């Protein structure tokens, strides 16, 4: 039946390229995506510039010097000119058909984290922005990822208490200030958080300010630890 359906309605490449063998990216787009493979920094998901060496360090110099509040992070690919348009279309242009592809990428990249977590939580949107976007892209990843991995999905365990300007174009310090005091765990959410290791899901990890802001309130609510999984990682956290 799947073969017959593909004949009648050929799969469409999400990037607008030649027809793929199945719904996803064209061969040309696949070859340009810079997927992140081990070894990567356990603390932020960046690829090591050099092999960890005999010391066997699992953290990059930046994470050793200034650790994040979250314990571990994984990203499926590098955020660059080849992945950016796909992610921005998913985030801002209602291209929710990208979600299954990105969820598959996440399930692979974050497999070492998923094995040890108890529940999955999306980075929340404020209700006013949710109305404009019509969907929370983090939730569109976290929900199917929880289903695939047989983990609890906590949709409302974390909330955003007020709208904030976009993080785009801000320095690391500006990003931290922008999300300071923005996230909260409601009383009913705390019951589901307490004592559990949480996987926090978002689209892109840049400086880690948003992820750290979410982690802080999750830990304060009693989470045992917080890990982070994203579609893409910016090359530098500066």
């Amino acid at each position: 039946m799947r073969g017959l359906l593909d004949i009648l309605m050929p799969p469409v490449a999400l990037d607008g390229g030649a027809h793929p063998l199945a719904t996803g990216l064209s061969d040309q787009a696949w070859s340009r995506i810079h997927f992140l493979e081990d070894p990567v920094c356990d603390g932020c998901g960046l690829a090591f510039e050099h092999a960890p060496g005999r010391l066997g360090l699992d953290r990059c110099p930046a994470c050793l010097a200034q650790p994040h509040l979250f314990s571990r992070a994984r990203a499926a690919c590098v955020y660059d000119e080849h992945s950016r348009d796909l992610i921005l279309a998913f985030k801002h242009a209602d291209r929710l058909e990208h979600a299954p592809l990105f969820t598959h990428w996440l399930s692979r990249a974050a497999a070492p984290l998923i094995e040890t977590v108890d529940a999955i939580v999306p980075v929340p949107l404020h209700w006013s922005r949710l109305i404009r976007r019509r969907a929370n892209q983090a939730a569109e990843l976290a929900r199917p990822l929880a289903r695939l991995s047989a983990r609890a999905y906590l949709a409302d365990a974390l909330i955003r208490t007020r709208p904030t300007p976009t993080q785009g174009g801000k320095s690391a310090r500006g990003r931290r200030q922008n999300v300071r005091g923005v996230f909260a765990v409601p009383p009913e959410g705390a019951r589901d958080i307490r004592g559990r290791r949480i996987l926090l899901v978002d689209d892109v990890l840049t400086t880690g300010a948003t992820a750290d802001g979410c982690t802080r309130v999750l830990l304060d609510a009693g989470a045992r630890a917080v890990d982070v999984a994203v579609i893409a990682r910016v090359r530098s956290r500066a």
Side-chain angles (χ1 to χ4, degrees), residues 43-44 59-69 172 176 207 212 237:
C44 70
R59 306 275 162 147
C60 68
C63 283
L64 290 173
Q66 188 177 0
H68 287 289
L69 295 180
R176 289 193 298 271
T207 64
D212 277 333
R237 60 188 277 188

Side-chain angles (χ1 to χ4, degrees), residues 95-230:
R95 296 297 300 272
L96 296 183
E97 67 270 25
H98 291 36
L101 178 68
F102 290 149
T103 300
H104 175 70
W105 291 4
L106 276 182
S107 68
R108 180 177 179 273
L113 310 187
I114 295 171
E115 289 177 359
T116 63
V117 302
D118 304 299
I120 297 179
V121 173
V123 170
L125 285 180
H126 189 260
W127 64 264
S128 59
R129 184 163 293 176
L130 182 60
I131 289 174
R132 292 197 300 271
R133 287 192 187 174
R134 298 194 291 183
N136 177 1
Q137 73 283 348
E140 296 302 318
L141 300 171
R143 185 174 57 253
L145 187 64
R147 186 169 59 248
L148 283 172
S149 57
R151 296 296 187 270
Y153 173 56
L154 307 180
D156 302 315
L158 189 63
I159 61 173
R160 193 181 289 248
T161 59
R162 56 183 169 82
T164 55
T166 178
Q167 294 279 66
K170 289 182 171 58
S171 65
R173 182 180 180 183
R175 285 170 176 262
R176 289 193 298 271
Q177 292 175 338
N178 193 40
V179 297
R180 184 169 294 155
V182 165
F183 302 106
V185 173
E188 60 273 18
R191 293 193 295 268
D192 295 325
I193 292 296
R194 193 171 297 113
R196 287 174 139 179
R197 188 175 193 114
I198 302 299
L199 182 65
L200 182 71
V201 173
D202 203 3
D203 50 6
V204 178
L205 186 66
T206 305
T207 64
T210 297
D212 277 333
C214 292
T215 298
R216 180 178 286 104
V217 298
L218 289 169
L219 293 176
D220 288 346
R224 182 162 47 90
V226 178
D227 298 325
V228 175
V230 296

